[in-house]
Amino acid sequence: MATMRFWLSFGYRLLAGIITGVVLWAQFDSLGLNAWRLLETWILFCATLYFLFSAVISWFRRKQPFPQAAFCPLWQGVILVSGICLAILWLFCQANQLVWLGTSTAIIYISAFLTPALIVVDWLFFSKKGGWSWSYPFYWLGIIISYCCIVLLTASTFSGREDWVYPYFMLNYPATGFDLLFWWTLLISVIVLLVGYVFMLLDYIASGQVRQHIVLPKIKTIIIEEPVAEKPEIDVTDKIKPTAHKSPKATTLSKPKPNRKKPQMDIVKPVEGLKDRKSAQNLHRNSKSKADIIADIRLRVSGPSSKKVTSAPRRSQSRSNNAKTTKKS
């Protein structure tokens, strides 16, 4: 895309420079040296140099990213404003049927209408916006003021035709007076400044710098949150209700259910008070019940002062035998 834009800008500026150069050559070819006393000759000369120099410089800047800056923004504005002022002056002369010096109407159309249009297209599509300064319209008065001064200063030394001494009626101060020359000069200066600042404002807007100075109102967003329904605090005392005193029922002693699980004799568990592992194994290996084993352990740990544990009369003999074996161990 950048390559395509480069070739478009290069081709356009080169073509515009060739067109204005050919018209400038035709102007001098038909009028000779008298052509330099016309304002359109000055405009064509400036436009030809601008377009050709812009084409050459854009060729050397072809590797830079677009949009590129204009070759000379001040020079670009001079051609634009002076061409528009020349078109306004030509229209005024045609409306009042005043004599306009020149070669042909085609050259006037090109210099007064086509040349400013070529500059406007170059400014719109192939130039970077924001390159014009706010003081440029006063500088753009330079080409018109310098032209008027040169024509007036060389009027006494000009040896050509009498009608070419003052090519425009407002410059003929010996016939019209200085006051008319002053008012026309002031009017042209106001038109140049007005047209210049209009294009300056358009260039400033197109550059996007206006957004930096525009302060938009801040819009505040208010978020309305609905109040959360609070859960009622639950009183703990409400849940705990006093229960009516019930008289204790008579409980009947029930026989303990026999343990149907077989004791695992292979696993030897540590027993409190028995430090000897072998004595614990002997206790487990005897054919005693679980209650008898526990009674023997308590008897060994607590000593003779503990309560005597009674057992069934049929197992008294076996308990005494077991006690003797534990003492021996």
Side-chain angles (χ1 to χ4, degrees):
M1 185 66 182
T3 306
M4 183 177 180
R5 289 195 62 180
F6 161 72
W7 285 110
L8 285 175
S9 64
F10 176 77
Y12 173 80
R13 289 169 177 171
L14 185 62
L15 180 61
I18 292 173
I19 292 173
T20 54
V22 170
V23 176
L24 179 64
W25 173 80
Q27 186 89 333
F28 276 99
D29 184 67
S30 60
L31 298 177
L33 294 177
N34 294 329
W36 68 270
R37 297 189 69 84
L38 297 177
L39 181 60
E40 54 262 32
T41 305
W42 289 46
I43 295 173
L44 288 172
F45 179 74
C46 293
T48 303
L49 292 181
Y50 171 79
F51 284 120
L52 293 179
F53 275 111
S54 296
V56 173
I57 291 175
S58 64
W59 172 263
F60 290 104
R61 292 179 180 176
R62 62 185 182 275
K63 294 183 179 180
Q64 296 182 4
F66 265 75
Q68 297 179 358
F71 164 64
C72 182
L74 185 61
W75 198 351
Q76 186 183 39
V78 165
I79 303 169
L80 175 64
V81 174
S82 58
I84 293 175
C85 291
L86 180 63
I88 294 173
L89 182 62
W90 183 81
L91 292 174
F92 177 80
C93 292
Q94 293 295 319
N96 292 276
Q97 296 180 355
L98 298 175
V99 178
W100 184 272
L101 297 177
T103 55
S104 63
T105 309
I107 294 179
I108 295 297
Y109 285 157
I110 293 174
S111 58
F113 296 99
L114 182 60
T115 303
L118 293 174
I119 292 291
V120 169
V121 173
D122 179 72
W123 166 69
L124 283 176
F125 299 102
F126 306 113
S127 298
K128 185 179 180 181
K129 308 302 182 293
W132 292 352
S133 176
W134 290 102
S135 60
Y136 277 11
F138 290 94
Y139 293 106
W140 294 341
L141 284 171
I143 185 173
I144 297 177
I145 293 176
S146 60
Y147 166 75
C148 293
C149 292
I150 290 175
V151 169
L152 293 176
L153 291 175
T154 57
S156 58
T157 60
F158 182 71
S159 59
R161 291 169 48 183
E162 185 179 355
D163 53 352
W164 285 94
V165 177
Y166 301 103
Y168 303 106
F169 69 94
M170 76 281 301
L171 296 177
N172 191 5
Y173 68 93
T176 58
F178 281 100
D179 54 347
L180 186 63
L181 175 64
F182 172 77
W183 288 114
W184 269 102
T185 305
L186 182 62
L187 179 62
I188 292 173
S189 301
V190 171
I191 293 174
V192 169
L193 292 176
L194 182 62
V195 174
Y197 276 108
V198 167
F199 279 94
M200 179 66 63
L201 183 61
L202 293 175
D203 182 78
Y204 187 75
I205 294 173
S207 64
Q209 300 179 12
V210 181
R211 292 175 292 181
Q212 299 177 1
H213 303 282
I214 296 176
V215 180
L216 297 176
K218 296 182 179 180
I219 301 174
K220 294 183 178 180
T221 56
I222 302 173
I223 300 174
I224 302 174
E225 297 181 354
E226 296 182 356
V228 181
E230 297 181 357
K231 295 182 180 180
E233 296 182 357
I234 301 172
D235 192 0
V236 183
T237 57
D238 295 341
K239 288 186 176 182
I240 303 174
K241 296 182 180 179
T243 55
H245 181 70
K246 296 181 180 179
S247 58
K249 296 181 179 179
T251 56
T252 56
L253 297 174
S254 58
K255 294 182 180 180
K257 294 181 179 179
N259 191 4
R260 295 181 180 180
K261 293 183 179 180
K262 295 181 180 181
Q264 297 178 359
M265 302 306 295
D266 297 335
I267 301 173
V268 180
K269 297 180 180 180
V271 182
E272 185 181 358
L274 295 178
K275 296 181 181 180
D276 194 355
R277 187 178 180 84
K278 290 183 179 181
S279 59
Q281 290 177 355
N282 293 330
L283 289 175
H284 284 288
R285 286 175 184 173
N286 294 331
S287 59
K288 290 183 180 181
S289 64
K290 191 174 182 180
D292 294 338
I293 295 171
I294 293 171
D296 292 339
I297 293 170
R298 287 179 180 176
L299 181 62
R300 184 173 180 83
V301 173
S302 60
S305 60
S306 61
K307 295 182 180 180
K308 294 182 181 180
V309 181
T310 57
S311 60
R314 62 180 180 179
R315 295 181 180 177
S316 60
Q317 187 65 29
S318 62
R319 186 183 302 170
S320 60
N321 295 330
N322 291 332
K324 289 179 181 181
T325 56
T326 54
K327 289 179 180 180
K328 289 178 180 181
S329 62

